Amino acid sequence: MASPYLTDFSAGLANLNAEPQQVAGQKPLSRQQQAHGPGQVLGSMPMPLQPSEQVCYLGHWPDLLADLELLGRVWIETEQPGLRIAQRQRLGGLRVQGMLGHLDRTEYQLRVLLDQCYALASQDDQQSLVIEDATQQPLVRVQLETGTHPLPLRLLLSSFGANGRRVMPVPPQQDERQMAALEQHAIHRLQRDCQALEPEPERHGLGFRDLAELSGRLSLNPVPWRRAAARGDEPAIAVDPSLVPCALETLVDQVHPLALSSGSSGWVSRSIQQFYGHAYVDGQLSLRGDHARLELDVRAIDTAWVVGERAGEIDRRSLRLYDEDGRAMAIIASATAADRDHCADAWSTELANRAEPWSAVNSPLWSQGRTRFRRDETRLWTTLMNALTS
């Protein structure tokens, strides 16, 4: 929607080209009055900033990302064709290594691909900010929580010079020793920057391949999966995409904790979420929780796969959704025991800090300040994955 201020300004410019009408009994307007109005002086009207105007910021992306910690807990929204996810998180501890921004907490992992980040802009009367790519498409939208005072965000935007402008941080200096074509290849740089951030073998997280697929740098190649399935290894089995809503609704009905990985071409995250509400209308699936919202157009799913392996009683399979271009839309898995225990502590601490008695007394999910996770959670996930692949 066009800004009313810009619309009025455009109308004012159109009026300047028209001949001024002289009213009987009044003196003719001077040239200055004809151009700027009878009560204004040349130069007194500030020229509004065009939305496409860009200003170079003297800082760098590491400085900007680190300052996001000052906003506290915010809503973080990412979107790609067919999928939109908003989640409430804190961005404290976001750091940069090479061309990769990284944040690693048990309940929230984040990777920011800085070679895709081009500019920053404010939105909603400085209630939110957007990081855009070179085509001015949003990579992520960071919005203040309802009832949060906007002063920290306004001060932050003012320090960047982003009040009504698009701000482009100064690109980092390139190392002359890394100017070879192979070193500058996007996939090689991403793999190099991910090596030091790879999760431990016993811990799940955003690895290089998941990050490359979710950001659109690698496309699905199911040939190796099909060959392995033909040998009986079954690392991946294709499932009917129309069954995905039923599986997710079943998990939501049981308030099953999920490890959800998704994002955009420049902002990819993995978070542990619990959804408790769902709706499915005309191919649109909506999931709701206290800390996350998900909107999925099931018709945008071209293929769906159950991928992974079972190690003893641990089911490490994940449900992966791909669009028609072979790009991973989302990777959904069951939260591990360590993830659940950590989140239970974090959520119970948050409830204690908020001091809301009804949360601990009336909610069936809480008992003695701790989430009442079901012992058969792994069995539920295994049963659903078996049902999808049968």
Side-chain angles (χ1 to χ4, degrees):
M1 180 181 296
S3 170
Y5 182 72
L6 293 178
T7 302
D8 294 341
F9 177 69
S10 300
L13 287 180
N15 292 335
L16 291 181
N17 298 326
E19 291 294 332
Q21 298 180 357
Q22 183 175 345
V23 181
Q26 291 186 350
K27 296 174 60 178
L29 299 177
S30 66
R31 289 182 177 271
Q32 182 176 355
Q33 290 173 332
Q34 290 176 13
H36 302 282
Q40 297 176 347
V41 180
L42 182 62
S44 62
M45 177 185 293
M47 296 293 289
L49 294 168
Q50 298 298 325
S52 60
E53 183 176 352
Q54 297 174 337
V55 179
C56 191
Y57 170 54
L58 295 180
H60 301 274
W61 279 112
D63 308 325
L64 190 152
L65 295 177
D67 287 343
L68 294 179
E69 179 178 1
L70 303 175
L71 302 180
R73 192 167 58 181
V74 293
W75 280 100
I76 303 170
E77 180 179 316
T78 56
E79 184 174 3
Q80 57 176 288
L83 180 64
R84 179 172 60 186
I85 297 177
Q87 50 187 318
R88 193 161 55 172
Q89 299 286 353
R90 296 180 183 271
L91 293 174
L94 181 53
R95 298 294 180 262
V96 173
Q97 179 171 325
M99 291 300 292
L100 191 66
H102 61 94
L103 173 60
D104 288 281
R105 296 198 299 265
T106 302
E107 75 283 3
Y108 185 62
Q109 285 184 300
L110 174 63
R111 300 291 183 263
V112 184
L113 285 71
L114 297 182
D115 58 351
Q116 293 294 310
C117 299
Y118 182 72
L120 177 143
S122 61
Q123 281 191 344
D124 302 331
D125 192 23
Q126 299 184 28
Q127 292 290 325
S128 63
L129 61 86
V130 177
I131 296 178
E132 302 173 330
D133 63 13
T135 64
Q136 297 186 359
Q137 294 299 312
L139 299 175
V140 63
R141 183 170 182 254
V142 179
Q143 184 176 13
L144 296 177
E145 282 193 291
T146 302
T148 302
H149 199 284
L151 181 59
L153 178 57
R154 291 181 178 179
L155 291 176
L156 189 63
L157 293 171
S158 178
S159 65
F160 299 149
N163 297 328
R165 306 179 181 183
R166 279 186 171 85
V167 173
M168 296 182 296
V170 177
Q173 294 182 354
Q174 296 290 340
D175 189 344
E176 295 297 333
R177 295 171 299 177
Q178 298 179 357
M179 294 306 293
L182 181 60
E183 286 288 332
Q184 291 305 304
H185 193 278
I187 288 293
H188 180 84
R189 291 203 314 266
L190 180 62
Q191 186 173 23
R192 181 190 61 204
D193 292 337
C194 283
Q195 286 177 349
L197 302 175
E198 289 286 348
E200 299 175 359
E202 66 275 6
R203 177 186 172 192
H204 287 276
L206 280 174
F208 161 69
R209 185 170 184 84
D210 291 345
L211 179 58
E213 288 191 354
L214 290 167
S215 62
R217 304 199 179 200
L218 286 181
S219 298
L220 172 66
N221 180 16
V223 175
W225 288 351
R226 292 195 174 105
R227 290 175 178 173
R231 296 193 303 265
D233 296 338
E234 297 186 356
I237 302 177
V239 301
D240 187 350
S242 64
L243 299 178
V244 171
C246 181
L248 295 180
E249 288 174 333
T250 302
L251 293 167
V252 171
D253 285 337
Q254 299 300 316
V255 200
H256 186 95
L258 298 174
L260 177 62
S261 302
S262 186
S264 65
S265 60
W267 187 286
V268 178
S269 67
R270 177 186 183 271
S271 63
I272 308 302
Q273 299 291 351
Q274 280 188 303
F275 299 98
Y276 56 76
H278 60 81
Y280 184 51
V281 180
D282 296 332
Q284 302 285 338
L285 177 64
S286 174
L287 305 182
R288 291 290 183 271
D290 287 334
H291 301 278
R293 302 165 187 168
L294 182 148
E295 305 286 343
L296 172 64
D297 185 352
V298 180
R299 295 163 295 189
I301 304 174
D302 183 65
T303 59
W305 298 78
V306 172
V307 182
E309 60 182 359
R310 275 174 284 188
E313 297 181 355
I314 301 177
D315 188 7
R316 292 183 177 176
R317 289 180 293 178
S318 60
L319 176 62
R320 297 176 178 236
L321 311 179
Y322 293 85
D323 62 17
E324 61 181 0
D325 296 325
R327 172 180 173 174
M329 300 173 61
I331 300 175
I332 305 171
S334 178
T336 64
D339 291 334
R340 294 194 295 266
D341 291 341
H342 181 89
C343 291
D345 292 337
W347 291 334
S348 61
T349 301
E350 179 184 352
L351 277 182
N353 293 338
R354 284 159 51 184
E356 295 177 352
W358 58 267
S359 299
V361 176
N362 297 330
S363 175
L365 302 176
W366 296 91
S367 177
Q368 298 179 354
R370 197 171 185 83
T371 307
R372 189 181 300 164
F373 291 115
R374 296 172 175 82
R375 293 182 179 180
D376 60 348
E377 282 180 331
T378 302
R379 183 179 304 173
L380 172 63
W381 179 260
T382 302
T383 301
L384 280 175
M385 296 302 103
N386 290 339
L388 287 175
T389 56
S390 61

